[in-house]
Amino acid sequence: MKFEFNSSEPIYRQVAEQIEDAIASGGFAEGDQIPSTTEISKEFHINPATVLKGMNIVVSKNLIEKRRGLGMFVQAGAQKRILAEKRDTFFDEFVENLVREAQNLDISEDELLTLVKRGYQQ
């Protein structure tokens, strides 16, 4: 985990994103215990309440679960749900804009597909 303390993005959101990214990449597999609030706060010198706020975002998305007295664990299907959400975001933030810009430049669908394929080859 790496945090940008000078970023405009709040630290608690960075905590949530870092946990989600670790789950998406397989760093934390389904059923794995993730580091505790205390472990993260001590290692990165972050207020435990801030870390907990970030973790609670991930809990609210049903990606990790709290097990009383044991810690936080990655829920079944969490990686698949995160990747689906990231794909939706990718479409909304990139693909729609790409298609709109291609239309503005009078690039046909076939031409655009050719350009995308060329991008994969490089």
Side-chain angles (χ1 to χ4, degrees):
M1 291 186 175
K2 184 174 184 196
F3 300 99
E4 303 280 334
F5 293 101
N6 295 325
S7 171
S8 62
E9 185 171 27
I11 298 297
Y12 73 91
R13 284 214 171 123
Q14 292 182 46
V15 169
E17 287 175 7
Q18 297 267 341
I19 293 169
E20 286 187 36
D21 287 348
I23 294 169
S25 69
F28 297 135
E30 294 179 5
D32 280 359
Q33 183 174 11
I34 66 168
S36 71
T37 302
T38 305
E39 290 170 332
I40 293 172
S41 65
K42 283 183 179 178
E43 183 173 346
F44 298 102
H45 307 287
I46 302 172
N47 185 310
T50 301
V51 175
L52 183 59
K53 188 173 181 178
M55 287 182 144
N56 283 335
I57 290 171
V58 185
V59 169
S60 72
K61 292 181 173 184
N62 295 317
L63 301 173
I64 60 173
E65 64 181 335
K66 296 178 184 178
R67 295 185 189 161
R68 191 179 187 101
L70 297 175
M72 303 259 199
F73 294 82
V74 179
Q75 287 198 6
Q79 183 182 39
K80 185 181 264 185
R81 289 193 302 277
I82 292 169
L83 292 175
E85 181 182 333
K86 285 181 178 287
R87 285 185 181 109
D88 289 343
T89 300
F90 176 77
F91 177 81
D92 294 341
E93 293 181 4
F94 297 102
V95 175
E96 285 183 335
N97 291 328
L98 174 69
V99 170
R100 191 177 325 53
E101 187 62 22
Q103 290 169 337
N104 290 338
L105 295 171
D106 203 26
I107 297 173
S108 72
E109 181 179 343
D110 288 336
E111 289 173 308
L112 181 58
L113 290 172
T114 299
L115 291 171
V116 170
K117 288 177 183 178
R118 189 170 88 193
Y120 267 97
Q121 293 169 355
Q122 291 182 354

